[in-house]
Amino acid sequence: MTQTQQTTKNQSIDLARFNMIEQQIRTWEVLDPVVLDLLGEVHREDFIDESQLGLAFADVELPIGHGQTMLSPKIEGRILQALNIKRTDKVLLVGTGSGYLTALIAKLAKHVDALEIIPELSQQAEVRIQKQNIHNVTFYVLDAFSGYTTDKTYDVIVFAGSLQLHPSAAEQMLNIGGRMFAVVGEMPIMQATLTQRVSEGSSRKETLFETCLPPLVNAPQSVKFEF
């Protein structure tokens, strides 16, 4: 590829990124300038295969192998805006996936513990994030619903896939004032929720929007009754 061709390609990518932010993310009520600047700074195309470059900025969930997908840009934007992550925050992310959302969160937070059940995805994400000169992420390969035991508490917890049941147990891992994002429900109705722990014994939950996300592997299932 000649220098002129590379320049043209880079300009095309920059325009696609600009359009993604202006036409998809802003119009989905993501107006926080910190979030918008971050989505422009951390390049989404660096977290996908070269063959998917044409869809890097599309309003779709991109397949990333192993039956998993990358969240759409507008969902990532809404997650970041809702959580209002601060530089002092310690974050638990369930579902490392492509590593893109992990990188976005890490740029805002003090530290991220990123859990992923599929070894290949975790390893790939770690390589990609290191290339971004991001070094405040600890990667774990395990089943978040049976293989993660810790005395740690977090300021932010993010579930990057859907759950049939609200993750009530995870609320106990939140510090007072901590926030948790989870998409809860079953097809065709799921709700993106934000839970804030307001005291030792109480939490406040609000519904942010309706959406549908692929389920997290091995997430607890609701009981089905047959009559």
Side-chain angles (χ1 to χ4, degrees):
M1 183 179 294
T2 67
Q3 183 174 354
T4 300
Q5 290 173 324
Q6 185 63 53
T7 299
T8 300
K9 179 182 178 181
N10 291 342
Q11 290 173 340
S12 177
I13 290 174
D14 288 342
L15 178 60
R17 185 178 6 266
F18 175 83
N19 289 337
M20 174 191 75
I21 293 171
E22 296 299 316
Q23 297 173 12
Q24 294 179 45
I25 297 172
R26 276 188 183 273
T27 58
W28 229 53
E29 301 179 13
V30 179
L31 303 175
D32 185 334
V34 173
V35 174
L36 296 174
D37 287 348
L38 182 64
L39 291 168
E41 174 190 346
V42 182
H43 291 178
R44 186 176 171 86
E45 68 273 17
D46 291 340
F47 292 84
I48 61 172
D49 291 333
E50 181 75 21
S51 62
Q52 295 178 307
L53 184 58
L55 293 173
F57 308 103
D59 184 17
V60 297
E61 294 174 2
L62 282 178
I64 57 174
H66 307 278
Q68 305 301 301
T69 59
M70 183 181 192
L71 297 176
S72 68
K74 66 186 182 185
I75 296 292
E76 291 160 337
R78 286 293 291 269
I79 291 172
L80 295 171
Q81 178 169 267
L83 290 170
N84 188 27
I85 298 169
K86 302 175 178 63
R87 180 51 59 188
T88 54
D89 284 343
K90 296 179 181 178
V91 181
L92 174 65
L93 173 64
V94 180
T96 309
S98 71
Y100 181 59
L101 181 60
T102 312
L104 293 169
I105 292 172
K107 294 284 281 188
L108 298 171
K110 180 177 182 179
H111 189 82
V112 180
D113 285 341
L115 279 52
E116 174 58 57
I117 195 170
I118 300 170
E120 293 84 355
L121 291 182
S122 183
Q123 293 159 9
Q124 186 179 62
E126 184 171 4
V127 170
R128 288 169 170 170
I129 286 173
Q130 287 177 345
K131 287 181 179 178
Q132 302 294 316
N133 200 32
I134 296 172
H135 303 292
N136 60 332
V137 180
T138 301
F139 296 87
Y140 296 87
V141 178
L142 48 75
D143 182 344
F145 300 103
S146 65
Y148 187 63
T149 56
T150 181
D151 294 328
K152 293 181 183 178
T153 56
Y154 296 93
D155 304 293
V156 174
I157 298 176
V158 185
F159 290 89
S162 67
L163 305 159
Q164 285 190 12
L165 304 172
H166 178 75
S168 300
E171 292 180 19
Q172 304 308 308
M173 299 172 69
L174 285 173
N175 294 320
I176 304 302
R179 293 87 65 206
M180 178 173 69
F181 177 89
V183 173
V184 182
E186 298 181 58
M187 291 288 288
I189 301 173
M190 299 181 187
Q191 295 181 327
T193 63
L194 180 69
T195 302
Q196 183 169 7
R197 192 172 191 192
V198 296
S199 69
E200 285 292 337
S202 65
S203 298
R204 182 174 61 245
K205 185 174 72 172
E206 64 176 303
T207 298
L208 301 174
F209 54 90
E210 291 189 353
T211 188
C212 286
L213 296 185
L216 286 165
V217 177
N218 291 345
Q221 305 291 300
S222 57
V223 177
K224 305 293 185 183
F225 291 97
E226 295 184 3
F227 298 92

